[in-house]
Amino acid sequence: MRRREFSGSRPKSTLRTMAASWHIRNWLSHHVRRVTATRAIHAQSVLPGTTSAALQAIRTQPSQYIVASLVGRKFILTPRDLLTVPHIKDVSVGDVLVLKDIHEVGSRDYTLRGDPLIPTGRVKVEATVVEHTKGAMEVVFKKKRRKGYQKTIKNKHPYTRLRIGSIQFSDSP
């Protein structure tokens, strides 16, 4: 590897670019601080004191979401989502599942996290089984050199599709 020595002198075009970028950075930092300072004055929110008050605040927001565990994974879900999960046995199309493992409920402005779960009496979310389907064809080709061994394995993984229902809140635990 060769080392490059820095001569210390820069071309004039580089110095002009550096000066221009310094002016832009200075102007941006001055004005961005002003904007954030004025926004912070107007956007002081009051945090709810109890869980019921927090749920009421989330309920009043236009859109809500939940973080729920289903088939060993966590998913961020909103009402009317279509969720594809690995195949769930013993359910048929049209069955309604109640999501029990809810970790978090929130909206744009508020979030309520469980420790580790939110009690099942507080939040209720139902999911309807829409269909059982299979994924794309996966082809695995195995071969041993100079032995004449060749094997092709084809597989389609089964999946279940769920439609998430509305998020229902209750004030009693």
Side-chain angles (χ1 to χ4, degrees), residues 43-76:
Q44 294 178 355
S45 62
V46 178
L47 294 176
T50 63
T51 305
S52 298
L55 286 173
Q56 181 62 31
I58 292 171
R59 186 184 297 138
T60 60
Q61 297 291 313
S63 62
Q64 297 97 19
Y65 71 92
I66 62 165
V67 176
S69 289
L70 194 64
V71 195
R73 296 181 185 170
K74 288 184 181 179
F75 295 97
I76 298 175

Side-chain angles (χ1 to χ4, degrees), residues 102-133:
I102 298 175
H103 299 278
E104 184 176 316
V105 176
S107 63
R108 172 170 270 191
D109 296 330
Y110 299 102
T111 300
L112 180 64
R113 288 192 179 146
D115 186 22
L117 299 172
I118 294 175
T120 54
R122 295 278 186 168
V123 179
K124 182 180 176 186
V125 180
E126 294 179 345
T128 306
V129 178
V130 176
E131 68 175 339
H132 293 291
T133 183

Side-chain angles (χ1 to χ4, degrees), residues 20 24 33 37 46 48 51 61 66 80 87 95 98 123 135 147:
I24 292 169
R33 269 193 223 122
V46 178
T51 305
Q61 297 291 313
I66 62 165
R80 297 178 304 281
H87 183 70
D95 286 352
V98 177
V123 179
K147 309 293 183 209

